[in-house]
Amino acid sequence: MSFITKLRENNPLIHNITNIVVTNFTANGLLALGASPFMADSHEEVADVAAMSGAVLINIGTLNEQAIKAMLLAGQSANKHGVPVVLDPVGAGATAYRTEVTHRLVSEMKITALRGNVAEVANVIGEKWSIKGVDAGAGDGDHAAVAIKAAKKLGCIVIVTGKEDIITDGEKTYIAANGHPILTKVTGTGCLLSSVVAAFLAVAGDSPLEAAAEALSFYGVAAEIAAEKTASHGPGSFQIEFLNQLALLTPEEYGKLSRIREA
Ligand code: ATP
Ligand code: TZP
Ligand code: MG
Ligand code: MG
């Protein structure tokens, strides 16, 4: 059975501590996919919410000290209860603060999967890669090499996205080639993707790397269909159609269009 089928059958609860830009889009994207989003960031409840969830998503897009404390409480509770944790290190490397907070998060909790653009992932492991705010800067290094190095260093799954997506645990590596450049014209498509990875990890069983790879590929196929359907319109129409396709894309159609390979 594909992971998307399991996800839609199980409707996993996904705890999100995310940024103020993408909260609504993330909740709608998870609902469309077949998961059950729960946005909760009060210190009083995050440990309880993490413990009852299928996975936890931590996203540092709009950081503040209150949020950091909530992230640590949620992540540590998830670790205690065997709940997978996904970290999206938005803008790591853009400011010293973001880099330091990311280092603190990865050292004070066990991350199941790290998902970012190549600049963010490189900066998490102390490698220099230019970054412009929350967007990956120019650079022509080897994305797979950065991902594999990060996975080995952090001891978790690492997902580096861009034109092609790299999904690796440091030993085995998948490359997902679906997707569309218009994704870069809608804010939060990276952030929603990290929550989608969390939803797939919630139903991954013993195969988290394969579930994460399917998450990337499924997301990319949905984007391709949405881009084709709204080709004569702009990013606004694409954003809505993309939500539609996250809900409508069948496992069969996904199977036909998926372009994923082992590196
Ligand atoms: P950034 O801020 O650098 O855009 P991000 O966090 O938004 O980073 P992306 O790397 O843009 O994340 O990835 C989000 C989605 O967009 C992924 O599914 C990825 O495959 C897709 N994507 C990004 N760039 C391209 C591209 N040039 N062609 C096809 N798909 C892309
Ligand atoms: N500023 C802080 S968080 C954020 C912006 C624009 C959203 C970033 O979303 P994504 O998915 O990384 O493009
Ligand atoms: Mg993007
Ligand atoms: Mg991002």
Side-chain angles (χ1 to χ4, degrees):
M1 192 195 292
S2 63
F3 293 104
I4 183 61
T5 305
K6 222 189 260 182
L7 193 163
R8 286 173 175 162
E9 277 178 12
N10 291 10
N11 185 228
L13 185 69
I14 307 303
H15 179 193
N16 296 268
I17 301 180
T18 190
N19 69 71
I20 58 169
V21 182
V22 306
T23 303
N24 177 272
F25 182 55
T26 300
N28 276 323
L30 285 173
L31 281 173
L33 185 72
S36 181
F38 193 174
M39 279 47 192
D41 58 9
S42 291
H43 300 165
E44 290 77 6
E45 66 174 0
V46 283
D48 292 341
V49 177
M52 71 178 75
S53 295
V56 175
L57 174 279
I58 293 174
N59 175 307
I60 70 160
T62 48
L63 267 185
N64 58 65
E65 290 302 310
Q66 291 288 102
I68 295 166
K69 187 173 168 197
M71 289 168 185
L72 290 168
L73 288 169
Q76 287 161 1
S77 171
N79 289 168
K80 194 167 134 197
H81 293 91
V83 174
V85 178
V86 177
L87 175 63
D88 187 330
V90 182
T95 64
Y97 181 54
R98 281 170 192 263
T99 312
E100 281 157 21
V101 169
T102 309
H103 289 157
R104 187 163 172 215
L105 292 174
V106 298
S107 66
E108 293 186 30
M109 69 179 77
K110 171 94 188 95
I111 304 295
T112 313
L114 175 78
R115 199 297 308 169
N117 63 47
V118 65
E120 291 162 344
V121 172
N123 279 287
V124 171
I125 56 163
E127 308 241 320
K128 291 274 165 274
W129 197 297
S130 77
I131 183 159
K132 181 183 176 192
V134 299
D135 292 329
D140 52 7
D142 183 341
H143 292 201
V146 170
I148 292 167
K149 192 167 180 185
K152 285 187 172 149
K153 187 160 182 183
L154 301 170
C156 70
I157 293 170
V158 171
I159 300 158
V160 168
T161 52
K163 188 170 184 302
E164 288 193 327
D165 304 317
I166 320 290
I167 307 103
T168 184
D169 61 6
E171 299 298 327
K172 193 169 178 186
T173 301
Y174 291 99
I175 299 176
N178 294 100
H180 194 281
I182 199 168
L183 280 165
T184 65
K185 300 297 175 200
V186 176
T187 192
T189 53
C191 300
L192 169 58
L193 171 60
S194 298
S195 288
V196 165
V197 169
F200 275 80
L201 288 179
V203 296
D206 294 336
S207 309
L209 186 68
E210 282 65 34
E214 187 177 308
L216 270 288
S217 180
F218 187 89
Y219 197 83
V221 172
E224 283 175 10
I225 298 172
E228 196 183 317
K229 283 189 183 292
T230 56
S232 55
H233 304 280
S237 300
F238 168 77
Q239 182 180 18
I240 297 299
E241 189 54 34
F242 181 48
L243 291 179
N244 292 336
Q245 292 306 322
L246 287 174
L248 296 173
L249 180 56
T250 63
E252 293 73 29
E253 189 65 5
Y254 158 69
K256 281 187 220 154
L257 296 175
S258 167
R259 284 181 282 123
I260 191 156
R261 62 184 191 277
E262 216 181 307

